[in-house]
Amino acid sequence: MEQLSLEEARRRFGTGRRDPNGLLGVVGAGPKALATAAKSQVLRELGVQVPRVVVVEPHGVAANWTAVGGRTNGRPRLSTSPEKDLGFPYASDAYGPLTTEVNARMQQFGWAGYLVSRGEYATWVDSGRPSPRHSTWAAYLRWAADRMDFCLVRGAVCALEIAGDQWEVTVEGVGGDEAVLLLDQMMISGPGPHDGLLAGDATRSVEDFWRRGLDTDAPEPSVAVVGGGETAAAITEYLMHQHAGSTTVISPQPVVYSRGEGYFENALYSRPERWRELSEQDRRDVIARTDRGVFSPRAIEAITTDARVEHRQGTVISLRRDGGQTELVLSNPGRADRALRFDVVIDATGARPDWFLDLFGAVARKAVQRAVGDADDGARALERRIGEDLALEGVVPRLLLPTLAGYEQGPGFANLSSLGLLSDRVLGAARRVRAVATDPDPADGRETGAFDGQVRAAVSTAVLGGGEA
């Protein structure tokens, strides 16, 4: 990993000069970015022409898995198996005779290798393969990053615009200075801002909670955690051990559902070949059961042992501070609205999935609007237009959106469940396009047809996204 200052990044990437094999820029040094960087390095070592990765990140590698990123204090446990690491499922099939070697070399960045390097592998296995804490997962990601060949630029992306056949990326440094980088393709891979859907003076944001705790004078405060996903689960489980008051989980579901983790559910994540055979409703049902608005079985088991934790169904339609407490009103179809009062309300509802549109300039916005047509259902309109290479179809220069690819391409691309396949889709597509560009008469015409119209965008790739948590 080569760390660059903002000025060094401006000199290298702000002129629009083309790298011979392209540049894959990543803003946000999370698992998706690192999985892509690792796969890029392995392929380049084997002589395959794929882009080199450039990461833009204000806080450092794996920041969102530590207190620095504001999404955790590092103490909650990972909700997925750590064996679903940067190369999982080690089933690359996009590289012909190099496939076996690619899979083997990716293991040097794996979870088991990290534990072996620390002399902890046997202990972890003998302990029953426990889920690591977020801080341990972050340490693994940093260990892997130190073994990769990519550039890290310290800064935050504050604007994105299309300028000709490139993306114009404005990066702000920690001191307030700015640099404009010119990149040929963009990939948005992070969860975006963590303000939540109820942001305001009457609620505590996730970042505020992890940094300041409950911050109340009440001796045994009543706490509401609004949200039904893993962020809410981590906060609820943490509260069980940190305060003596009651905790109420509030979500639209009739109960707190446990995430489905049987063989057949997991197989759709690791091997999504059958995914597109399912109907729209079936796909959304699978995602609802296995990913969105559910707690992990481990979290459910821990939380349900404490009688101070309960659940209330409903959607929060209003809230206000009153007499030192927060009063919120819950709405449920067919029932009268219900008002509840708590000492502290934590907003764990998550961010808008299409948050990145707020960064777009006028030209970029029009390009996205042309791609989705007249659809007015926000993120779902984008989801339906994600292609096999995880890019938004119809947008040039290329815009990759793996966090929205779950519905169309397979549920594992939106989270940590198939990072190896994600990097194959991004880099495999770029490799095939490049092959067509350099060989005007390929022996296999199927590649020309599969990527017709994308040759112009094949020179380099940029990836935008925050770290995943």
Side-chain angles (χ1 to χ4, degrees), residues 312-396:
R312 290 289 181 269
Q313 181 186 16
T315 299
V316 178
I317 58 174
S318 69
L319 64 168
R320 65 186 181 91
R321 290 294 290 175
D322 180 31
Q325 290 189 311
T326 294
E327 180 182 272
L328 52 81
V329 178
L330 298 182
S331 175
N332 286 289
R335 284 184 262 169
D337 294 345
R338 181 180 183 184
L340 301 173
R341 296 172 67 90
F342 300 93
D343 294 310
V344 180
V345 175
I346 302 171
D347 179 7
T349 53
R352 286 174 29 228
D354 58 353
W355 63 272
F356 52 87
L357 296 179
D358 294 341
L359 300 174
F360 281 14
V363 178
R365 284 180 175 273
K366 288 181 181 178
V368 172
Q369 289 170 356
R370 286 194 299 268
V372 300
D374 297 328
D376 58 359
D377 51 353
R380 288 202 171 189
L382 295 171
E383 288 178 336
R384 288 189 287 267
R385 294 286 296 165
I386 304 298
E388 183 179 352
D389 62 348
L390 312 187
L392 184 62
E393 295 176 334
V395 172
V396 178

Side-chain angles (χ1 to χ4, degrees), residues 145-160:
D146 286 341
R147 286 153 179 77
M148 295 180 197
D149 177 25
F150 71 91
C151 296
L152 177 65
V153 179
R154 297 298 292 268
V157 170
C158 55
L160 293 167

Side-chain angles (χ1 to χ4, degrees), residues 35-358:
T36 305
K39 185 66 64 65
S40 170
Q41 176 176 326
V42 165
L43 291 173
R44 286 184 288 111
E45 289 172 348
L46 293 172
V48 180
Q49 293 184 336
V50 293
R52 188 174 186 226
V53 169
V54 179
V55 175
V56 181
E57 161 62 47
H59 302 301
V61 171
N64 281 341
W65 297 95
T66 70
V68 173
R71 298 179 184 276
T72 178
N73 63 359
R75 297 179 65 181
R77 293 194 177 275
L78 193 69
S79 61
T80 57
S81 168
E83 291 165 296
K84 293 188 174 182
D85 55 20
L86 298 178
F88 185 84
Y90 297 95
S92 297
D93 60 2
Y95 306 104
L98 296 177
T99 292
T100 300
E101 184 66 17
V102 169
N103 292 331
R105 292 197 182 201
M106 281 298 295
Q107 294 180 39
Q108 68 183 300
F109 306 108
W111 168 251
Y114 166 68
L115 293 180
V116 169
S117 73
R118 295 173 58 85
E120 298 174 356
Y121 181 67
T123 300
W124 180 71
V125 172
D126 292 341
S127 301
R129 294 180 168 84
S131 296
R133 297 192 185 277
H134 289 177
S135 57
T136 304
W137 184 248
Y140 155 62
L141 295 176
R142 290 193 295 266
W143 170 86
D146 286 341
R147 286 153 179 77
M148 295 180 197
D149 177 25
F150 71 91
C151 296
L152 177 65
V153 179
R154 297 298 292 268
V157 170
C158 55
L160 293 167
E161 182 60 293
I162 292 176
D165 64 345
Q166 291 183 301
W167 284 95
E168 185 179 85
V169 185
T170 303
V171 181
E172 182 178 357
V174 293
D177 52 330
E178 290 188 354
V180 175
L181 312 182
L182 298 176
L183 305 162
D184 295 282
Q185 301 180 34
M186 298 299 301
M187 184 173 92
I188 313 266
S189 65
H194 39 74
D195 295 334
L197 303 178
L198 307 173
D201 294 338
T203 64
R204 188 75 50 79
S205 71
V206 170
E207 181 175 3
D208 282 344
F209 170 74
W210 288 123
R211 290 182 174 170
R212 299 192 292 126
L214 293 178
D215 193 22
T216 176
D217 295 330
E220 294 185 359
S222 58
V223 181
V225 180
V226 184
E230 279 302 323
T231 298
I235 291 173
T236 302
E237 187 175 356
Y238 185 77
L239 286 171
M240 288 172 49
H241 307 291
Q242 299 300 317
H243 91 296
S246 63
T247 299
T248 301
V249 179
I250 297 174
S251 68
Q253 296 86 359
V255 297
V256 176
Y257 285 115
S258 174
R259 184 173 67 205
E261 287 195 5
Y263 168 79
F264 296 104
E265 293 101 324
N266 288 338
L268 283 174
Y269 280 73
S270 302
R271 297 185 298 279
E273 295 84 2
R274 211 167 48 83
W275 182 250
R276 300 191 70 181
E277 298 175 7
L278 304 180
S279 68
E280 175 173 352
Q281 188 57 52
D282 286 342
R283 294 184 205 177
R284 298 205 183 278
D285 286 346
V286 170
I287 291 172
R289 172 177 169 75
T290 60
D291 188 33
R292 296 179 184 171
V294 292
F295 285 16
S296 70
R298 185 199 54 74
I300 287 285
E301 182 179 359
I303 290 169
T304 53
T305 62
D306 195 321
R308 296 171 300 156
V309 178
E310 58 182 0
H311 173 261
R312 290 289 181 269
Q313 181 186 16
T315 299
V316 178
I317 58 174
S318 69
L319 64 168
R320 65 186 181 91
R321 290 294 290 175
D322 180 31
Q325 290 189 311
T326 294
E327 180 182 272
L328 52 81
V329 178
L330 298 182
S331 175
N332 286 289
R335 284 184 262 169
D337 294 345
R338 181 180 183 184
L340 301 173
R341 296 172 67 90
F342 300 93
D343 294 310
V344 180
V345 175
I346 302 171
D347 179 7
T349 53
R352 286 174 29 228
D354 58 353
W355 63 272
F356 52 87
L357 296 179
D358 294 341

